[in-house]
Every structure is written in C-alpha cells, then in structure tokens.
Amino acid sequence: MYAWSEEHEMMRSAVRQFVEKEVAPHQEALEHGDMPPYDILRKMFATFGLDTAARESFERRMEREANASTSGGSDSESSHASGSDSGGGRDAAMSLIPTIELCRYCPGMVTALGVSVGLTAAAIASKGTPAQKRRWVPDLLSLKTIGSWAITEPGSGSDAFGSMRSTARRDGDEYLLNGSKTFITNGPFADTIVFICKLDEGASAGGVSSDQERKDRKVLSFVLDRGMPGLEQSPPLRKMGMHSSPTGQLFLTDVRVGRDRLIGETEEVSGGGRDGAKVTFAQERAGVAAMALGIIEQCLELSVAYAKDREQFGQPIGQFQLIQEKLARMEVARLNTQNLVYRYIEMTEAGRPLTLAEASAMKLYTARAASEVAMEAVQLFGGNGYMAEFRVEQLARDAKVLQIYAGTDEIQITHIAKDLLRR
Amino acid sequence: MNVVVCVKQIPDPANPGKLTSETHTIVRDGKLILDDSDAYGVEMALQLVDAAGGGEVTLVSMAPHSETSGLRTALAMGAAKAILVSDDALAGSDALSTAKVLAAAIKRAEPDLVIAATESTDGYTGTTPVQVAEVLGWPSISFAKKVAVADGTVKVDRQTETGYDSVEVSLPALVTVTAGVVEPRYPSFKGIMAAKGKPVEELKVTDLGLEPGQVGAAGARQEVVSVEPAEARKAGEIVVDEGDGYEKIVAFLEQIKVI
C-alpha cells in the first residue's frame, strides 16, 4: 500500500468536511474552554454509521466466539482478530482515517475517543466473559457510554505494575477496592471504568507485606460504573495540551464489587494479569502513529501556505533556504510517518498484527516526528506561531504528549532494545 | 417512485482551473469530483423516494474518460445506480447538446421525476436543466426551495427575489433545486464501501440513438469566441475623519445615487 484507495479518499473527504463543519467552529470552546468532546464524537459516529457498524461488528465477534467454543476451538485467535474490529483488521483504515482527520484540529478528541473505544472497550472485549462483554462493550463501542482505562497512579507511571498500590481485597464472595488513579483520560465524565489493581491476599507470615510480595501480586481488572458508592471522579485537571480530552483523577474507598465485575470472573489470568494490558499497549501505540500523521499533515499544510504568503525583506519567506530546510524536513517526516501507517494497515489487513517491539518503534519515531514538526512549525511562523490564532502552537502542545502517554519515548526504546537483544 | 438526478463531475474547485486555448472550454483531464451543488439534488431525491415508501434514485452524468469518482460519492450517499455517458465525440459540447444527451439517458431510466441543480459550479450557464425538460417534452420548475410529491403531481415552493411562488405540475417533470432545499447527508462509511459495487452503466453517444454529429463540438450551436480576465478590483477610497467624515460619506453616497 502506497496511497489511499478511492474509498479511503472518499472517507477522508467526508470526514474532513464533517470536522471542518462540526469541530472547527467549536475549537475555541474545546481547546480553551471546558466543552467536553463527547457530543461531537457521538454525532460523528451517528453521521458515518460508526455506531451501528460497531454494534454489528460486536455481534459478529460474539457469534464467532460462540462458534469457536462450541466446536472446541480456542477463542484466543478470534479474540486477537476482533481486537481488530475495534481498531484494526479489515477496517484498519476505517478507524485510522477519522483519527488522522480529527488530529488536524483537535488531537485531544482522538485521545478521548481512543481511550473509550480502543482501551476500555478492548480491555473488556479481550478478557471478559460473554456476559461482561454484552453488558458493557456494545455501549462503549458505539459511544453510548464513555469509558476510562485506569492504570496510572500518583506513584506509578512507566513502572505501571511494579509500583502499583491500588488493591482488591476479598471479602466473602465480593471484593473491596481501594486506591487512587491519576492522569485518567475521560476520568471526570466516564460512565464505565476499567480499574486495574493488585490482589491483596495479606502478608504471608502474619507480618507486613514485603516490597517484593507487593510487586509480585496478581494484577486484576474490574469494571466500575459511574456513581458506585466509594468511587469519586475528580473535575478535569489543567494540563499543557490535549485540552479537548478531559483528564482526571479517581479515588476509590472501599468500593464493593461482586465477581461479575472482575474481568474474566477469575483471578487466574494469564501472565498474572499483565498480558492483557500489554496487548492493549500494542494497539494503542499504533493509534498514536495515526495521530502523529494528522498533526504533521496539518502543520505542514499550514507552514507551506504561510511560507508562500508571509513576506519579509521584500519576498515570501519560503524563498529563504532556512525556511525551505524546515519545510523539507517536515515533508520527510510526513512521508515516513505515512509509510508506517500504511504498513500498519497492510499488515493488520493481512492478519499479521504488529509485535510490541514493532509497535514501539513505530510510536517512538512518529511521536518524535510530530513533536519536532509542530515545534518547527511554531518557529517558522515566528511571533504568529506563538499566538493561538495561528493554530500551530496548540498542535505543538498537543504533540508533546505523544512522546509521553501510551509509554514514554524511554519505555519504547527499552522495548525495542530488549527485543533486539533477545534475538 | 423513481427519481433521476442529473449530476455533474467537475474539476476540484480547490485547484486553479484551466481553459483549452482552442475552444476556451474547461480542461477536464484530471480527477473529477461531484459538483457540490448536485449534493442537494441527490439528498432531495433520496428523501422523496424515502417518503414515497419505495423506488430508487438513479444518477445520470456526462463526463470524459469514463470518470466515475463524483458518481461514487453520490452512490455512497445512497443512490442505487448510475448512467454515465462518456464518449470522445462529446468534447466541446454546448449546453443544448449536453441537454440532448442527458435527456436521452434519462429516458432509459423511465423516471417519475428528474432533479437537477439550478446551475453547475464550473460552467454556470444555468440553462441545461430546462433544455433537458424541453427535449423530453416535460414541464419544469426551477429554483425549488421546497419539493413535495403527491398524487401524481410535484408541488414546489419556487424561490423568487421577493419571496416564493407555490407551483404545481403533473409528473413526469423536471425540478431544479437551490442549495437551500435540504441539507445533504455525509456518505456513511458503509455507504462508501457499498458504492464500489453499485452498477454504473457506461454508454456511448450511439447507444442513445444520437449521431456523433449532433453532439460535441460538431453539434454545438454556441461558440466561446474569446475569454478575457476579469478586470482587477479598484482600490477603495479611504475617508479620513477630520470631524467632517460624515459629510464626505454622504457626498459619496449622493454621488453614486444611493441616497
């Protein structure tokens, strides 16, 4: 694949029209006010039939899984393919095109959407029981409900599992959940929350649990609903960029849940509960590359137009070689990022998902490229670039987080290096 | 109820257009897109068919090089099928020969109603739709801002400079719609994927029972003799207010006879 197909182009054009008509006029409220992005996202889903398509795709998946289990086959393969239904597979381009187009104006909206549909729904869809899937996934995939995926804590970021302090304690047939989570996308508004914590079985010899014991505890994921007693959702946190994606904190104090909310309804999850999260990481990283492409495309288009229009020293600044160098480097970044996105689409459509290391390499390069291109766009625009009116400053603030969330650059580097050294 | 929508596939208005040096007609070598003004007609037709509880929307278009990109967009919105007339003999067609071709193609679809835009975004003659109706021998109503079909008639609110006229004709008929008639839908993703498989019947001039000499440059009765660039707008006059600004403005308005 080296170019978008005729259908893809039609989709791009339709989504671009929608974004320019429905998102751009609200950009001020989304980026500098407190307008949550969900109603516009729901309108986008309804307009393009994505809500219906998501529900139909979910039903097909459930049917496949039911057939696989009655024929005695493992459903692990179909689980993998259906991760595709919410982010890849034959529809890879379908889900990435809205991502790219939204990122030209409000990358935060993609963060809000991606966390709800790509992380929260996918976490339940990949490891939940059929009943749990039916209970939460269709509404999340169609944006009827908004989801949060709560892993990060004040004391645990890159070392997500090692330093995790949130706990689940058995209490009869139920569990009591405690802990606090931070930097949680959609946290302030989420209807459905996947809460990741560790099973606290008490100290082994009646004393205090050692650090090692805490580190090795099983990781469990629970599904919570807004308004449950003991669950508090903070107002949005102030942050550098991605203002169209509300981010918050969650506080849990003795939240009582039944086993029906434990994802998979078993404590015996593969890899101690860490595998499910890792599969999610790979999908998330690929999505970041598409976001980077949208930001880069927009910065480059705005920069080329500005370089032709803005005159200094009696000529358009595009005539100066130092400006040309910036434009050329932006174009190289655009081509490389686009090629990586095309590669991801082609591989996914061929049923060959990215490995975690490949996803990390793709994310590392594209996130850095988006950040560099957006900052260079600010520089190219000079004083105007520093002003909100010219839009590149927002994209530069937004782009920075691509190097931080979904695994920092540093974490991506270690994943890539570990994979190379293991060969 | 079956509705035909005349749609034009035009060069993307976002790119600078070019005219041929010999015939002064628009160069249509690259990819063509659906004329935005036709999206209203497609939407209107889809809504009328839906309200009638049955039937389908057929697109009719005339374009060079078997171009279907614009048609696919309208098919993705929900039209059922398309008839495309594409023939080298059509190069240089004027409005009347275009109308003859479109009318012949429309007859094949046997519609109850034909909808077209009031004018295209590239040619702007605004004459083709009524010529199509004339060739077909059907009544036509132009500048519709509201369209309803019932009991074998089409009722239209026809936009005028001062308001609108309520007009009614019996079917079959042709109606041209303004941009205010309805809000066109975006094609859904499912619609986009389905558009590829919808039938597009491609015809030559002779398939329509027309002779090549009747159409294209050979059959054109209209010739563009020359094209001149529009005169550059003159710079405005700045009135500096030194306490007598209002007098200067009043004097200016009197001079151009608006007060």
Side-chain angles (χ1 to χ4, degrees):
Chain A
M1 177 178 179
Y2 61 89
W4 298 110
S5 69
E6 196 182 331
E7 283 82 23
H8 295 155
E9 287 291 0
M10 223 188 277
M11 242 176 255
R12 261 159 58 96
S13 151
V15 178
R16 190 166 297 184
Q17 277 179 43
F18 177 90
V19 170
E20 284 169 0
K21 197 170 162 198
E22 306 288 345
V23 178
H26 299 292
Q27 203 171 7
E28 181 66 23
L30 286 160
E31 296 295 337
H32 298 287
D34 283 315
M35 180 181 181
Y38 311 114
D39 284 346
I40 298 178
L41 288 170
R42 287 188 179 111
K43 189 168 185 183
M44 184 178 86
F45 263 45
T47 298
F48 295 107
L50 296 171
D51 47 358
T52 315
R55 284 180 185 276
E56 287 171 358
S57 167
F58 173 78
E59 288 304 328
R60 283 197 301 275
R61 176 189 179 175
M62 292 301 285
E63 213 169 293
R64 273 202 310 272
E65 288 182 5
N67 291 340
S69 70
T70 46
S71 64
S74 155
D75 77 349
S76 63
E77 202 175 316
S78 56
S79 295
H80 214 72
S82 57
S84 329
D85 279 345
S86 57
R90 292 180 57 201
D91 300 335
M94 294 274 238
S95 65
L96 293 184
I97 285 170
T99 296
I100 296 166
E101 293 304 318
L102 280 171
C103 279
R104 295 166 71 93
Y105 284 88
C106 293
M109 293 182 74
V110 174
T111 305
L113 175 65
V115 167
S116 195
V117 171
L119 289 183
T120 316
I124 306 171
S126 65
K127 299 286 173 191
T129 63
Q132 289 174 328
K133 291 176 193 178
R134 289 210 171 275
R135 184 171 171 189
W136 286 294
V137 175
D139 285 352
L140 282 168
L141 287 179
S142 59
L143 291 187
K144 186 176 174 194
T145 53
I146 298 300
S148 273
W149 190 72
I151 188 167
T152 303
E153 297 181 0
S156 84
S158 294
D159 181 21
F161 297 119
S163 311
M164 186 177 284
R165 302 196 74 84
S166 292
T167 59
R169 267 190 297 112
R170 295 190 196 101
D171 187 42
D173 289 340
E174 297 178 322
Y175 294 89
L176 284 177
L177 308 181
N178 281 282
S180 50
K181 297 285 180 183
T182 194
F183 309 154
I184 305 305
T185 298
N186 299 330
F189 300 99
D191 306 295
T192 303
I193 296 161
V194 168
F195 175 74
I196 301 168
C197 59
K198 286 189 167 171
L199 180 64
D200 180 0
E201 297 181 90
S204 50
V208 177
S209 303
S210 69
D211 283 351
Q212 192 56 45
E213 274 174 339
R214 272 204 293 270
K215 211 170 175 176
D216 294 340
R217 283 173 178 167
K218 284 177 185 168
V219 174
L220 301 180
S221 300
F222 292 87
V223 187
L224 311 178
D225 292 326
R226 182 177 190 79
M228 288 179 75
L231 168 65
E232 190 189 332
Q233 298 172 245
S234 80
L237 299 169
R238 294 289 168 219
K239 53 190 195 287
M240 177 176 174
M242 294 284 181
H243 293 159
S244 50
S245 157
T247 306
Q249 292 167 292
L250 302 174
F251 304 100
L252 283 84
T253 311
D254 286 339
V255 175
R256 182 172 292 279
V257 293
R259 208 173 173 79
D260 60 320
R261 290 182 178 274
L262 169 63
I263 294 186
E265 291 193 28
T266 173
E267 293 172 2
E268 303 309 317
V269 280
S270 62
R274 290 153 173 84
D275 287 357
K278 283 180 181 168
V279 169
T280 315
F281 287 156
Q283 287 171 2
E284 189 185 18
R285 286 169 197 182
V288 169
M291 295 182 71
L293 180 57
I295 293 173
I296 292 169
E297 279 184 358
Q298 184 72 332
C299 285
L300 180 58
E301 276 180 34
L302 292 170
S303 297
V304 169
Y306 191 80
K308 286 181 180 175
D309 189 51
R310 170 77 170 172
E311 290 193 6
Q312 289 290 279
F313 304 103
Q315 56 182 329
I317 60 169
Q319 296 301 313
F320 298 113
Q321 289 185 339
L322 283 171
I323 298 296
Q324 290 173 3
E325 197 253 1
K326 290 186 199 305
L327 294 176
R329 285 165 62 98
M330 288 183 197
E331 173 63 0
V332 171
R334 187 193 67 81
L335 277 170
N336 283 338
T337 303
Q338 188 182 60
N339 283 337
L340 283 168
V341 170
Y342 284 163
R343 177 177 183 271
Y344 168 73
I345 292 171
E346 186 136 351
M347 284 176 70
T348 316
E349 291 186 354
R352 150 86 162 86
L354 292 185
T355 64
L356 187 58
E358 283 173 329
S360 294
M362 181 176 174
K363 197 230 170 214
L364 176 69
Y365 176 82
T366 56
R368 282 183 171 175
S371 230
E372 283 167 19
V373 165
M375 285 305 282
E376 278 295 73
V378 171
Q379 190 67 22
L380 186 146
F381 274 72
N384 285 333
Y386 205 67
M387 297 292 126
E389 183 189 348
F390 288 80
R391 302 205 22 236
V392 287
E393 67 83 32
Q394 177 219 317
L395 293 173
R397 287 185 287 104
D398 290 345
K400 183 61 194 170
V401 84
L402 302 189
Q403 292 180 269
I404 298 171
Y405 71 16
T408 60
D409 278 5
E410 291 73 15
I411 290 294
Q412 311 303 335
I413 289 165
T414 57
H415 280 161
I416 299 163
K418 270 185 199 164
D419 183 68
L420 288 171
L421 296 170
R422 221 182 358 240
R423 289 178 193 175
Chain B
M1 185 179 66
N2 293 320
V3 182
V4 158
V5 185
C6 297
V7 296
K8 192 166 184 183
Q9 303 178 82
I10 62 169
D12 191 340
N15 302 325
K18 271 189 276 179
L19 299 176
T20 60
S21 51
E22 312 84 44
T23 59
H24 307 298
T25 49
I26 295 167
V27 175
R28 299 170 189 278
D29 285 344
K31 185 185 162 189
L32 304 177
I33 64 167
L34 177 69
D35 189 338
D36 249 1
S37 62
D38 288 329
Y40 301 93
V42 174
E43 179 63 41
M44 188 71 253
L46 291 169
Q47 288 187 18
L48 288 172
V49 166
D50 199 34
E56 60 184 19
V57 175
T58 303
L59 311 168
V60 168
S61 186
M62 179 176 126
H65 316 305
S66 304
E67 179 65 57
T68 58
S69 298
L71 287 177
R72 295 285 173 208
T73 303
L75 289 169
M77 287 173 72
K81 60 184 196 294
I83 299 172
L84 170 68
V85 189
S86 191
D87 195 324
D88 291 344
L90 292 167
S93 289
D94 63 3
L96 183 56
S97 43
T98 303
K100 287 177 189 166
V101 172
L102 293 177
I106 289 165
K107 264 190 207 163
R108 294 169 70 95
E110 299 179 350
D112 302 295
L113 178 68
V114 179
I115 294 179
T118 53
E119 60 186 358
S120 62
T121 308
D122 59 348
Y124 282 115
T125 70
T127 55
T128 308
V130 282
Q131 290 177 332
V132 168
E134 198 59 29
V135 175
L136 288 168
W138 294 356
S140 67
I141 306 174
S142 54
F143 295 102
K145 73 182 200 74
K146 190 176 171 192
V147 184
V149 172
D151 306 324
T153 62
V154 56
K155 295 176 183 178
V156 167
D157 288 350
R158 183 178 184 276
Q159 186 71 54
T160 67
E161 281 185 11
T162 49
Y164 64 88
D165 299 331
S166 293
V167 213
E168 177 177 333
V169 296
S170 57
L171 297 173
L174 180 144
V175 173
T176 74
V177 295
T178 66
V181 74
V182 277
E183 186 62 26
R185 70 192 68 185
Y186 295 98
S188 73
F189 282 12
K190 215 173 184 179
I192 289 171
M193 300 311 282
K196 201 177 182 180
K198 289 185 175 174
V200 176
E201 186 186 12
E202 187 175 332
L203 301 172
K204 298 285 178 198
V205 169
T206 48
D207 296 328
L208 295 169
L210 296 167
E211 292 301 320
Q214 289 177 274
V215 296
R221 297 184 188 180
Q222 171 193 310
E223 185 188 350
V224 180
V225 183
S226 70
V227 176
E228 304 298 332
E231 201 178 326
R233 270 178 71 179
K234 289 176 186 149
E237 186 186 337
I238 296 170
V239 176
V240 180
D241 185 12
E242 291 165 339
D244 59 350
Y246 68 98
E247 289 175 359
K248 289 178 181 168
I249 289 171
V250 168
F252 171 76
L253 294 175
E254 281 174 348
Q255 185 197 328
I256 62 169
K257 296 189 169 57
V258 295
I259 57 172

